Amino acid sequence: MEHLGNKSLFTSHFVLGGTEVNRKFTKTKTDVLEALHKWLNFKDNDQGMENYSSMRTRSVDFLEIIELETFKEITQELHRSYCLEYPYSSRKDFLEHVFEYTIHDLKRFLELDLICHGEVLNDKTYCFYSHFIDDAKQFKDFAISGEKEIEYYQQYYRAVLYYLKSFEEEEETTIAPPTSKNQPPELETPTTFDELFHHSDLVAPCLDILKEIEPPLIDTENNYIGGLKGAFCIWVDEMQRQGIVKYQSDRKVYASLIPQKINGFSIDESMFGKHHNKAENNYRTDIKTKVSAIKLSQNSHKGKLGK
């Protein structure tokens, strides 16, 4: 996360003269790299592009889109992880740490006067634009999907900037001992694993999640069979988010009570204050889906009882 603030999250950026543009150094073949070299070859060999040659080009940016709702979810996840590491931070601190260059780059792009070259490659995968940098007497090029118009990107980037601004202005919430409506402080510290849950009938199905995910973390007898311990932190986090387990400001509670149910398992309390990239990638979606199903089943049961 510490490196995100120094790069734009919405561009694949290539500086001419850099090693990533030189085929001798970049052996990996990707659609973007192939399009980049086709574009540079076109600029240097097409008669109508003599004023736009690669010798007069500073960089080429391939613009990218992340579906807005997905971007919002990513931002919220990053913010949560950031707060675990920096509990006294503000949202402004978070945005500067993670999105500073992205925000700067998007604002700058929206102010540019662009020259359209169109879909000049044979495969018509990308459409290219250029902006002339007066002080450097060079061009900065941009590539967008051939399926979209430049206005689509401009409108999307304005929406991203608007969201990040509104995100900063939202009322701050912390992960410290809670006083919010969503996470009321617990009056008593639980002494058993079952007491972590708001409803004891959800203990078994939630434990079953650890057996059903791939790869599983416990066997049918609740024995720990190895695997990423960070996945247990995600498991607890999802159950807490969806109101199945009670919020505990003291991480020692989770670390001490989980081994009551899972044989041969131990975990350091500090694990619950860290971001676990591999476990996030491997397990978050699956665990979230399974916890949601349990929550939905619980709500459905309550609804039937209320009739």
Side-chain angles (χ1 to χ4, degrees):
M1 189 188 301
E2 62 271 18
H3 303 298
L4 294 178
N6 298 322
K7 62 177 68 175
S8 175
L9 302 182
F10 294 96
T11 62
S12 293
H13 182 65
F14 299 94
V15 178
L16 269 66
T19 55
E20 69 272 17
V21 181
N22 192 327
R23 287 190 182 273
K24 293 181 180 179
F25 296 95
T26 307
K27 302 297 184 182
T28 304
K29 289 185 178 181
T30 65
D31 292 340
V32 169
L33 281 172
E34 290 303 304
L36 171 67
H37 288 291
K38 287 180 181 179
W39 168 240
L40 296 177
N41 182 65
F42 175 80
K43 287 173 65 112
D44 289 338
N45 292 285
D46 186 87
Q47 291 183 351
M49 297 293 290
E50 56 186 13
N51 292 330
Y52 299 93
S53 69
S54 62
M55 294 295 294
R56 301 190 64 196
T57 304
R58 172 179 287 186
S59 62
V60 182
D61 283 2
F62 284 75
L63 303 185
E64 298 175 359
I65 298 277
I66 303 171
E67 200 278 322
L68 191 57
E69 290 305 313
T70 301
F71 175 71
K72 291 178 181 180
E73 291 179 5
I74 292 171
T75 301
Q76 291 160 6
E77 285 295 325
L78 287 172
H79 180 242
R80 180 179 173 280
S81 299
Y82 183 83
C83 288
L84 288 172
E85 188 168 354
Y86 304 100
Y88 303 105
S89 64
S90 66
R91 292 197 172 199
K92 183 178 180 181
D93 294 328
F94 163 71
L95 291 177
E96 288 179 352
H97 191 101
V98 178
F99 291 106
E100 182 176 30
Y101 189 77
T102 294
I103 293 171
H104 169 75
D105 196 55
L106 294 184
K107 287 181 177 179
R108 181 174 57 182
F109 171 75
L110 291 171
E111 295 173 352
L112 298 179
D113 293 322
L114 299 173
I115 303 165
C116 180
H117 301 289
E119 298 175 349
V120 296
L121 305 185
N122 292 333
D123 57 15
K124 297 184 178 181
T125 307
Y126 293 97
C127 183
F128 290 88
Y129 291 78
S130 293
H131 169 72
F132 185 66
I133 308 170
D134 288 322
D135 57 348
K137 305 302 180 185
Q138 289 181 309
F139 288 96
K140 182 178 178 68
D141 295 342
F142 298 90
I144 67 171
S145 168
E147 298 177 352
K148 292 181 171 60
E149 302 290 336
I150 192 65
E151 288 82 4
Y152 181 93
Y153 285 80
Q154 292 167 334
Q155 292 170 11
Y156 168 74
Y157 291 149
R158 280 194 287 267
V160 168
L161 290 173
Y162 178 81
Y163 167 70
L164 291 176
K165 186 175 186 301
S166 64
F167 180 85
E168 179 182 349
E169 293 172 350
E170 286 179 12
E171 181 180 356
E172 289 288 328
T173 58
T174 71
I175 60 168
T179 57
S180 70
K181 294 180 181 179
N182 293 331
Q183 292 180 326
E186 301 300 325
L187 298 178
E188 297 181 1
T189 301
T191 57
T192 68
F193 180 82
D194 289 17
E195 289 175 359
L196 282 172
F197 288 72
H198 289 289
H199 302 283
S200 59
D201 58 329
L202 299 184
V203 174
C206 285
L207 280 171
D208 287 343
I209 291 175
L210 301 177
K211 305 171 187 176
E212 297 165 357
I213 53 179
E214 288 295 335
L217 298 172
I218 64 175
D219 63 17
T220 56
E221 302 299 324
N222 292 346
N223 296 308
Y224 176 52
I225 56 178
L228 297 172
K229 290 190 175 182
F232 288 87
C233 303
I234 293 170
W235 175 60
V236 169
D237 178 63
E238 279 299 335
M239 293 190 296
Q240 179 183 300
R241 287 185 181 203
Q242 300 195 43
I244 289 178
V245 301
K246 303 169 186 176
Y247 180 85
Q248 303 296 325
S249 60
D250 187 353
R251 300 166 186 161
K252 292 179 182 178
V253 174
Y254 300 125
S256 63
L257 297 185
I258 293 175
Q260 290 184 2
K261 285 289 185 178
I262 302 176
N263 306 315
F265 178 77
S266 64
I267 188 170
D268 191 273
E269 64 183 271
S270 65
M271 291 284 285
F272 293 94
K274 297 178 181 178
H275 184 72
H276 307 280
N277 288 327
K278 190 172 182 180
E280 283 281 348
N281 294 333
N282 290 356
Y283 289 108
R284 172 69 76 173
T285 300
D286 196 12
I287 290 176
K288 182 177 181 179
T289 300
K290 287 177 166 53
V291 172
S292 296
I294 292 172
K295 183 69 174 179
L296 183 62
S297 176
Q298 179 197 30
N299 292 339
S300 175
H301 181 64
K302 285 182 179 178
K304 292 179 181 178
L305 290 177
K307 291 182 179 179

